[in-house]
Amino acid sequence: MNVNPEQPGRSKASGQHAPLPDVLSLDDLVKQHLDAQAASADVRRLQERLADSLAADTVSHLASPEVPALVPADSNRPVSSKSHGSSRWIRAITTLTVSALVLAAFLLGRFESTVEASPAELLRAAQETHAGPIERVYLVKVERAAFPAPSFALPTEARVTVLGDRFRVEMNRGERRMQWGRDASGTVWMVTHFGRGLQIAPSEAGPGLEQLTDIYSLNLETLLDDVLAHCRLEREDSSPSVHRIVAKAVRPGRGGIVAAEIEVDRETKAIRKLVIERNRPQRWGMKVTFLLTDSQVADESQYSIEGHLPKNASVMTRDFQNDRRREILAAWLGGPADRWVVNDDAKR
Amino acid sequence: MSPADSARESNSNGQSHDWIELALPRALAFAQSLVRDLSTAEDLVHDCVFRLWQKRDHYDLTKDGQRLLLKSITNAAIDRARRRHLTVTDEGATLGNIPAGDPPVFHRVLLVEMESHLEEALGKLSVNQRAALQLSSLGYSLKEIAESLGVSESNAGVLIHRARHSMAEHLRPYLDQD
């Protein structure tokens, strides 16, 4: 490596801009950051994958002239004696022979692990699948940790229908059947009884409501991004119908994910089952299981409150019957209303 | 001895695998910084090492392996960003790792905070700018950075300059304190 003491670009600072505070310190900071990241990088899994791949390549000795030109052809390239005369034929025959052996080995299943998609590729495929216009229905089971003590009671079972980042939930609260969900604008809606409903704008959502939507929504785009970014993924023994992936957090993510078990349908790449453990230190911990029960063409109207109410039905909002809305929320979900909806007065 | 062990020891060209062992931590950290995703970074590093390995007859990987690997990773990350039309955000920004040692509590808190801002600031750069700045901080020459990015030297200089400006704006409180 050629270390350039001049630090490229440093002398080009334009007079039109404010002077850089301290370019050398900035470079040092970035270097220190990269050094720290490298020092803590856990490369064991990568080493194992590479060892398998390189071993397979050593056995097959496959030449790969079609490999994309990741490195330029003009640098560091010694003249190869293998490009002349008979050695070229020997190489071609060897390649053909070994290729046949590799193909045979492949057919026998010996190299299955190297041709299957990686866990990360499977999760990205699942993300693409769930971005389509198909809604999926999951049975959701919630198991909460005994400590810290739950601040409010949650139904342990619910039925959640998901379409992208929209969802609707059906759950029982005692004798009452609740339907609620989140629409495309992020507004949470709830249907109280025939002809009545309420809405809570994203800016009004209290901490309890944010937690509730976090638990029951299955926003796979965000969730799987979090898993991909913060978890180490391992394949488990798969069945003929699903790929099983186990994810364990290696660093704290935004969703408090500790671990996850994910089953991806081999054919459709939809998430068939998801068990996710979350932990918010000093706040709550829980395990939530999503089990796919149905897939169908989405009825988009069902993801907003209008789809659940007759025409001209009144909907309680911040600007219409706000006090009544707060009372209903407190009665339904328990505890003070501020847990569920934060009004403008409380924000001030 | 398993095929994996055999492969670890040497290859048909007589080249050692030591360069891979040495280069992997740096390569993985570099790739993760560019693609902001551990699993994708692992896939990317795996593919780049494998492709270099397949071209082992053409290169002295013991000598140039790490340099060529970082170059390959840079290209692959930029290609990926172009393919996926990624918009670079601060998604996935996390607290980084604080260098070992036992600094005073206040110093350590400050380091954590600054590390977080540094990660966030890096996340706001485009992949090209991030790669250029990081390669520069690792001591690569402007010519080498330009080659890695597939741009002219003057363009590489502009990328680094803009990246520094953006980072400096984000980190000004910390840099000014120094």
Side-chain angles (χ1 to χ4, degrees):
Chain A
M1 182 191 302
N2 299 323
V3 176
N4 180 1
E6 292 297 325
Q7 296 293 341
R10 189 181 178 194
S11 61
K12 291 175 185 263
S14 164
Q16 294 173 336
H17 300 285
L20 296 179
D22 187 344
V23 172
L24 190 58
S25 292
L26 183 59
D27 275 357
D28 289 345
L29 279 175
V30 175
K31 172 74 162 53
Q32 282 172 14
H33 172 73
L34 284 173
D35 286 347
Q37 294 288 329
S40 65
D42 183 356
V43 296
R44 283 171 298 182
R45 202 170 74 103
L46 183 57
Q47 278 177 326
E48 286 170 11
R49 278 179 65 191
L50 272 169
D52 288 344
S53 300
L54 301 190
D57 188 64
T58 300
V59 171
S60 65
H61 196 63
L62 287 171
S64 56
E66 301 305 322
V67 169
L70 289 168
V71 286
D74 59 351
S75 61
N76 306 305
R77 184 189 288 270
V79 176
S80 171
S81 60
K82 292 182 180 177
S83 60
H84 299 292
S86 59
S87 61
R88 188 185 299 168
W89 282 103
I90 293 169
R91 186 182 178 122
I93 291 167
T94 306
T95 299
L96 282 172
T97 307
V98 177
S99 295
L101 289 172
V102 169
L103 180 62
F106 169 75
L107 292 174
L108 289 171
R110 288 180 57 193
F111 285 80
E112 186 183 8
S113 64
T114 64
V115 297
E116 281 200 334
S118 71
E121 287 169 336
L122 285 172
L123 293 190
R124 282 192 285 273
Q127 279 182 314
E128 288 179 17
T129 294
H130 283 265
I134 300 292
E135 64 179 20
R136 291 182 169 81
V137 185
Y138 290 88
L139 280 180
V140 182
K141 187 177 175 187
V142 179
E143 298 167 66
R144 303 185 73 172
F147 182 83
S151 57
F152 58 93
L154 275 179
T156 53
E157 289 190 355
R159 196 170 89 126
V160 178
T161 308
V162 183
L163 179 63
D165 59 355
R166 289 173 283 175
F167 68 90
R168 62 177 195 271
V169 183
E170 296 165 71
M171 57 168 59
N172 287 325
R173 292 281 294 160
E175 296 296 313
R176 284 175 290 204
R177 185 82 173 154
M178 276 179 67
Q179 273 205 80
W180 63 283
R182 187 173 62 197
D183 66 19
S185 69
T187 297
V188 173
W189 53 266
M190 293 183 180
V191 179
T192 57
H193 58 76
F194 188 75
R196 297 286 283 175
L198 61 86
Q199 285 182 318
I200 304 160
S203 59
E204 300 179 278
L209 189 65
E210 286 177 346
Q211 185 180 337
L212 198 67
T213 53
D214 203 25
I215 292 166
Y216 288 102
S217 70
L218 184 59
N219 186 346
L220 284 166
E221 177 76 21
T222 307
L223 186 70
L224 294 184
D225 272 348
D226 209 13
V227 168
L228 284 164
H230 304 291
C231 294
R232 184 162 300 287
L233 306 176
E234 301 280 354
R235 260 179 189 276
E236 271 203 340
D237 289 341
S238 298
S239 76
S241 60
V242 295
H243 299 284
R244 286 203 183 89
I245 298 165
V246 174
K248 288 185 180 161
V250 292
R251 62 181 68 189
R254 290 183 179 180
I257 296 173
V258 178
E261 296 169 33
I262 304 162
E263 289 186 2
V264 181
D265 190 288
R266 281 182 180 273
E267 191 178 339
T268 64
K269 299 294 182 290
I271 301 288
R272 290 257 295 256
K273 184 180 177 184
L274 172 66
V275 182
I276 188 157
E277 288 179 51
R278 297 176 190 261
N279 185 31
R280 298 281 197 189
Q282 309 302 318
R283 290 171 62 193
W284 49 265
M286 66 183 59
K287 185 160 97 172
V288 185
T289 302
F290 293 85
L291 193 63
L292 181 66
T293 61
D294 198 8
S295 300
Q296 56 208 20
V297 177
D299 177 357
E300 303 222 354
S301 69
Q302 294 295 301
Y303 292 90
S304 62
I305 195 165
E306 288 81 7
H308 297 267
L309 295 175
K311 265 188 179 177
N312 304 320
S314 59
V315 176
M316 290 173 272
T317 66
R318 173 170 43 198
D319 303 320
F320 178 68
Q321 295 189 327
N322 184 31
D323 290 343
R324 179 66 184 140
R325 183 181 63 150
R326 292 167 58 80
E327 285 171 16
I328 289 173
L329 281 169
W332 269 13
L333 300 171
D338 286 345
R339 179 181 289 158
W340 311 109
V341 56
V342 183
N343 62 25
D344 291 341
D345 291 341
K347 279 188 176 175
R348 276 196 288 269
Chain B
M1 181 180 287
S2 70
D5 292 335
S6 302
R8 264 194 202 98
E9 279 203 354
S10 66
N11 65 29
S12 61
N13 201 26
Q15 291 193 19
S16 163
H17 283 177
D18 289 350
W19 74 272
I20 298 178
E21 305 272 345
L22 292 171
L24 273 190
R26 165 76 72 206
L28 184 59
F30 182 67
Q32 191 176 354
S33 174
L34 293 186
V35 299
R36 324 292 290 168
D37 174 340
L38 175 62
S39 299
T40 305
E42 285 185 348
D43 288 350
L44 196 144
V45 174
H46 171 274
D47 291 350
C48 289
V49 171
F50 188 69
R51 284 168 184 165
L52 277 178
W53 161 266
Q54 287 184 313
K55 289 186 165 252
R56 60 193 179 275
D57 289 347
H58 301 298
Y59 302 105
D60 182 354
L61 293 177
T62 304
K63 177 168 167 262
D64 298 319
Q66 175 161 311
R67 181 175 66 80
L68 293 171
L69 181 57
L70 293 188
K71 189 172 177 178
S72 300
I73 290 168
T74 304
N75 277 329
I78 291 171
D79 285 349
R80 178 180 174 276
R82 284 180 185 148
R83 273 199 314 275
R84 292 167 63 95
H85 303 288
L86 285 181
T87 49
V88 179
T89 69
D90 61 348
E91 279 293 323
T94 59
L95 291 185
N97 299 283
I98 303 306
D102 189 21
V105 172
F106 176 75
H107 187 195
R108 193 168 175 77
V109 169
L110 190 65
L111 281 174
V112 169
E113 190 180 307
M114 190 168 68
E115 182 78 3
S116 170
H117 278 77
L118 185 73
E119 183 82 29
E120 194 178 314
L122 280 170
K124 289 185 184 301
L125 301 178
S126 70
V127 176
N128 297 44
Q129 288 176 344
R130 200 153 61 228
L133 180 66
Q134 292 184 156
L135 289 171
S136 169
S137 75
L138 291 173
Y140 283 75
S141 71
L142 196 56
K143 185 181 174 193
E144 287 172 321
I145 295 168
E147 282 176 0
S148 294
L149 295 170
V151 299
S152 67
E153 285 188 41
S154 60
N155 279 343
V158 169
L159 283 171
I160 295 165
H161 181 69
R162 287 181 180 164
R164 283 189 177 134
H165 257 293
S166 173
M167 295 286 289
E169 282 299 318
H170 209 90
L171 298 171
R172 187 176 294 280
Y174 302 97
L175 295 172
D176 282 345
Q177 279 177 11
D178 291 341

